[in-house]
Amino acid sequence: MTGQSPPDTTPGTSSPWRDRRLTPAERADALVPLMTLEEKIAQLVGVWAGADPSGDGVAPRQADMNVVDWATVIRHGLGQLTRPYGTAPVDPAAGARSLDASQREIMAANRFGIPAQVHEECLTGFSAWRATVYPAPLSWGASFDPGLIEEMAGRIGRSMRAAGVHQGLAPVLDVTRDYRWGRTEETIGEDPYLAGSIGAAYVRGLEGAGIVATLKHFAGYAASRGGRNHAPAHLGPRELSDVVLPPFEMALRLGGARSVMNSYAEIDGVPVAADESLLTGLLRDEWCFTGTVVADYFAVRFLQSLHGVAGDGAEAAGLALRAGIDVELPTVDTYGGPLVEAVKSGTVSEALIDRALRRVLTQKAELGLLDDGWQPVPALAGEPASAHASATGCSSGTEDGDPEGEDPVAGRSRFDDEGSRELALRLARESVVLLRDTGVLPLAPGRKVALVGPVADDPMAMLGCYAFPNHVGPHHPGQGLGLEIPSLREELAKRIPGLTYAPGCDVRGEDTAGIAAAVAVARESDVCVLAVGDRAGLFGRGTSGEGCDATDLSLPGVQAELVRAVLATGTPVVLVLLAGRPYALGPETDAAAAVLFGFFPGQLGGRALAEVLTGAVNPSGRLPVSVPRDGGGLPATYLTPPLGRRTDVSSVDPTPAFPFGHGLTYTTFEWTGAESGGEWPVDGETVAAVTVRNTGERPGAEVVQLYLHDPVAQTTRPVVRLIGYARVPLEPGEAARVTFTVHADLASFTGVRGRRIVEPGDVELRLSRSSADVAATLPLRLTGEEREAGHDRRLQPTVRVDRATDPGAGVSETVSGEHGTIGAGRRDGVPEV
């Protein structure tokens, strides 16, 4: 019956697959036998109908892979619509009407009236014209605030639902392994626990808003050799298991993500898109994932065109389908005609088609897309939304606090509302990291201040490469940014009368002609703010971003020369970095009076930086990545065994200028009363606790970090690794008792036999201000027999914060734990953890 219409296929409202009393899986099972081969395969592809026909698109190799005839491609139905808002600047209301029309055409063209599932990018906000741009993921990590990230993701998700979008291609859970990689800016940091806890919070927010979260890039993408995009990943099985995979586990189990996107990487010679052991054996059989696996853009065709493991499109499709990729994105290619012919010839089993189809249809049923009477995009297209909001996965956007609800008129024409901007500002404030301060900050009133540097007056310096103005805007220069994005210069000028300015040089290029003017401006001032860093872009159009890799960690262009020249003036210099990766801050920058880091802090990052510089905001960010001292040395993160650190058997000192977790504030904190729970059974829990008091004169937030040190193990172990943290805001004089309840599962690692184990023996829990600044060491002994720890192991400690302005009087709150209570505690509307 392959390729033929089975009998009794007339769909109707009484069809079991329309019956909402059945489970989504049961509805999918009822529909699959009714579909022809062509109808089945049509549900396994996307179409990028809105891509630029000139070929100068926003993704690599788009021009030669995205030629489709709309009427032809939708005649049997359609699995996904690719980025209807995120391909070109379009007014949100007009885009909604266009999407509405497209969905109606799709439904009318196929026998079953099934609409497409719509996906968009949403890494730094809904990637649409005139939508709020939030700080980049490295800023999420710098905040150490999962609650705030969950709140941000929820707001992003609600705006997407109001626009008729069903799936978001975020978060990125790659753990940074080489800072030279251009996509470092998209990662949450270099630690798997930080990436996993923050990433799971993002997933909870997005999924809680009804949007399918897509974990990417599974797996190994950030471990590419030489930090080069798409380069082979140099990974051993332990690094894969203990560093790369845990964030994905956490986001699936603690966040509830319903989709996963494959990595472009090849691991030990096997491209992930063709790796059945990873996409099916691990993800589905071991981890019990039941959602969809979608291909990263063009990844299936790349099996033939780049990896050379398939001879043609049909063979590539067969490899990917067998490995476990359910949907080919961004547009129909190998899963189109080549796959149809492969099934008809017997090269690919139709059972593999049915397997993928059941997952796709199950998810569509969950989203309401199989419901009778489903209507597309009611909210922004100007139609009444209430009748279909619950069934369609679309939101009217008029609920209290929802993005489109604050202004029922303006809210229907844009995605950048006051509430979203306020949230973006809160995150930007929390993410600014003060690395050094000799007393020059905050800037004292009345001082003559100069501002120099190539990113000082550049609004785009605030945005990562997946922000719409950077990602799509360069192809449409006449449209403008669509947003108000004040530069650092604009914001500082509001607060510092008589601010002088000189750019000094460009971000890229070799022109040094402007350095003399910058030196003159700096010399004539009492203090100089020197802003250097990156300009994000795509595929060589920037210094950071996808396809914008670096050969070393020196500042791009002649910026290092500018820094040296300004420091040589003798004027106190506040060095501000706005960047997507940590650049080397070696001996030549030791003369800086202060150093601040902002990791693409979003459209209101300029304001947040100005507030920190002038003291209106107390900095509280912590480094999600180490800042190296040497720009030419091989980058190495803090997760290294003893021989990865400074030794007497090598002349290279890899000690960073500033370690992971480091960050200063304008107040002071005292840590006292550290204690642990004694012996630690290999299948039980222990406790680590400390009291933190704000001994300064202004409110501030301390980040209590808990690290594990395992001095003797059957495999080499990182000297320390993060296993818990708590962000604790405190008023002057206020104290809090922070208690971590830690299961022994958090001490597990991959042993010599390749299985994850908890091993008895001596360990230390270190209560720390950073990975290198230990406040208290708690020696413990894991007791009992060695045991295995599987996928059902505990992934987080429980963190309890007891607050008191005086001993014995306070409020207790659980601020993190295994079951999604991260961020439960708030003060003044700001999530504490």
Side-chain angles (χ1 to χ4, degrees), residues 48 51 57-67 82-83 230 261-264 273 294-307 316 325 327-334 539 546:
W48 198 342
V58 296
R61 296 177 176 262
Q62 182 176 314
D64 58 337
M65 293 188 181
N66 196 38
V67 179
T82 293
R83 294 171 62 179
H230 288 228
M261 175 179 277
N262 75 280
S263 160
Y264 286 129
V294 299
D296 204 345
Y297 285 11
F298 311 110
V300 181
R301 175 62 75 173
F302 285 170
L303 294 175
Q304 177 238 326
S305 62
L306 298 183
H307 292 292
I325 291 181
V327 181
E328 181 181 34
L329 297 179
T331 203
V332 58
D333 180 28
T334 70
F539 308 109
E546 186 173 2

Side-chain angles (χ1 to χ4, degrees), residues 482-795:
L483 297 167
E484 293 182 9
I485 308 174
S487 68
L488 177 58
R489 181 188 181 188
E490 290 178 74
E491 291 290 349
L492 269 185
K494 296 176 184 177
R495 296 162 175 82
I496 300 176
L499 180 74
T500 57
Y501 164 73
C505 65
D506 293 330
V507 171
R508 295 198 292 183
E510 302 301 318
D511 187 359
T512 60
I515 292 180
V519 167
V521 168
R523 186 175 285 118
E524 294 169 1
S525 64
D526 297 324
V527 61
C528 177
V529 177
L530 173 55
V532 296
D534 278 320
R535 176 69 181 267
L538 290 169
F539 308 109
R541 296 194 295 268
T543 59
S544 174
E546 186 173 2
C548 297
D549 309 316
T551 56
D552 62 32
L553 295 174
S554 302
L555 285 166
V558 296
Q559 291 184 83
E561 187 173 342
L562 173 67
V563 171
R564 289 191 293 267
V566 173
L567 286 172
T569 64
T571 299
V573 172
V574 179
L575 183 62
V576 176
L577 289 101
L578 284 167
R581 63 166 61 86
Y583 285 105
L585 298 179
E588 67 272 16
T589 63
D590 287 346
V595 181
L596 274 175
F597 216 122
F599 297 98
F600 291 144
Q603 73 183 68
L604 291 166
R607 176 176 169 182
L609 284 162
E611 289 173 336
V612 169
L613 287 166
T614 58
V617 167
N618 192 354
S620 60
R622 301 295 187 269
L623 283 175
V625 286
S626 306
V627 175
R629 177 168 289 272
D630 182 4
L634 181 67
T637 73
Y638 92 100
L639 286 174
T640 182
L643 285 175
R645 294 190 168 194
R646 180 175 57 188
T647 69
D648 58 5
V649 297
S650 173
S651 59
V652 175
D653 182 1
T655 304
F658 300 98
F660 172 86
H662 173 73
L664 306 175
T665 77
Y666 295 151
T667 190
T668 55
F669 297 96
E670 177 185 61
W671 295 37
T672 59
E675 62 181 3
S676 65
E679 281 200 348
W680 192 4
V682 295
D683 57 355
E685 296 178 333
T686 192
V687 167
V690 68
T691 296
V692 178
R693 182 179 297 276
N694 184 346
T695 55
E697 298 180 352
R698 59 183 298 166
E702 181 68 297
V703 178
V704 179
Q705 301 166 44
L706 181 66
Y707 293 87
L708 177 74
H709 171 61
D710 189 349
V712 179
Q714 58 183 254
T715 66
T716 61
R717 304 295 302 133
V719 176
V720 292
R721 63 180 176 93
L722 186 71
I723 61 170
Y725 59 86
R727 181 185 174 93
V728 187
L730 295 169
E731 297 295 322
E734 186 181 18
R737 184 72 172 172
V738 182
T739 303
F740 297 89
T741 301
V742 187
H743 196 277
D745 285 347
L746 291 168
S748 65
F749 63 94
T750 302
V752 294
R753 290 178 293 278
R755 305 294 296 174
R756 179 174 287 277
I757 62 168
V758 181
E759 185 181 41
D762 294 330
V763 295
E764 293 176 358
L765 292 179
R766 297 181 177 180
L767 292 157
S768 305
R769 301 176 185 90
S770 76
S771 59
D773 185 359
V774 180
T777 298
L778 306 174
L780 292 163
R781 184 170 184 81
L782 282 160
T783 59
E785 299 296 320
E786 178 184 307
R787 70 175 183 86
E788 289 192 6
H791 177 56
D792 58 349
R793 69 189 184 281
R794 291 290 297 271
L795 300 174

Side-chain angles (χ1 to χ4, degrees), residues 309-386:
V309 297
D312 55 26
E315 189 176 353
L319 285 173
L321 196 64
R322 193 171 297 109
I325 291 181
D326 303 312
V327 181
E328 181 181 34
L329 297 179
T331 203
V332 58
D333 180 28
T334 70
Y335 276 26
L339 184 55
V340 171
E341 294 305 315
V343 174
K344 289 181 176 180
S345 68
T347 305
V348 174
S349 169
E350 190 168 355
L352 292 176
I353 305 293
D354 291 349
R355 183 181 71 172
L357 178 62
R358 284 187 173 88
R359 296 164 183 162
V360 168
L361 294 178
T362 297
Q363 191 161 96
K364 285 194 171 187
E366 292 171 353
L367 293 167
L369 301 182
L370 300 189
D371 293 352
D372 187 47
W374 183 90
Q375 296 293 321
V377 229
L380 292 179
E383 299 177 15
S386 56

Side-chain angles (χ1 to χ4, degrees), residues 147-388:
L148 186 55
I149 303 309
E150 182 173 348
E151 186 177 351
M152 174 194 72
R155 196 167 191 94
I156 293 169
R158 290 193 295 275
S159 69
M160 295 171 74
R161 285 186 68 226
V165 177
H166 310 106
Q167 181 168 0
L169 303 188
V172 171
L173 296 180
D174 299 293
V175 177
T176 298
R177 304 301 287 160
D178 188 329
Y179 313 131
R180 296 173 297 180
W181 190 47
R183 302 191 79 169
T184 293
E185 64 167 74
E186 299 178 48
T187 71
I188 295 167
E190 67 182 52
D191 179 84
Y193 180 81
L194 179 65
S197 57
I198 294 288
Y202 182 96
V203 169
R204 284 194 297 273
L206 206 64
E207 289 279 358
I211 297 294
V212 175
T214 308
L215 310 183
K216 58 185 195 181
H217 307 86
F218 188 76
Y221 191 23
S224 59
R225 291 177 185 170
R228 294 177 59 246
N229 195 36
H230 288 228
H234 188 66
L235 276 174
R238 288 180 184 82
E239 183 178 359
L240 180 67
S241 296
D242 293 348
V243 178
V244 173
L245 295 177
F248 293 93
E249 286 187 273
M250 295 178 74
L252 290 171
R253 282 185 47 196
L254 306 182
R258 286 181 285 172
S259 190
V260 170
M261 175 179 277
N262 75 280
S263 160
Y264 286 129
E266 63 171 80
I267 301 174
D268 195 24
V270 180
V272 171
D275 193 341
E276 186 175 5
S277 66
L278 189 63
L279 297 182
T280 296
L282 177 70
L283 182 62
R284 295 196 184 276
D285 297 343
E286 187 173 336
W287 289 3
C288 303
F289 175 65
T290 59
T292 58
V293 175
V294 299
D296 204 345
Y297 285 11
F298 311 110
V300 181
R301 175 62 75 173
F302 285 170
L303 294 175
Q304 177 238 326
S305 62
L306 298 183
H307 292 292
V309 297
D312 55 26
E315 189 176 353
L319 285 173
L321 196 64
R322 193 171 297 109
I325 291 181
D326 303 312
V327 181
E328 181 181 34
L329 297 179
T331 203
V332 58
D333 180 28
T334 70
Y335 276 26
L339 184 55
V340 171
E341 294 305 315
V343 174
K344 289 181 176 180
S345 68
T347 305
V348 174
S349 169
E350 190 168 355
L352 292 176
I353 305 293
D354 291 349
R355 183 181 71 172
L357 178 62
R358 284 187 173 88
R359 296 164 183 162
V360 168
L361 294 178
T362 297
Q363 191 161 96
K364 285 194 171 187
E366 292 171 353
L367 293 167
L369 301 182
L370 300 189
D371 293 352
D372 187 47
W374 183 90
Q375 296 293 321
V377 229
L380 292 179
E383 299 177 15
S386 56
H388 296 290

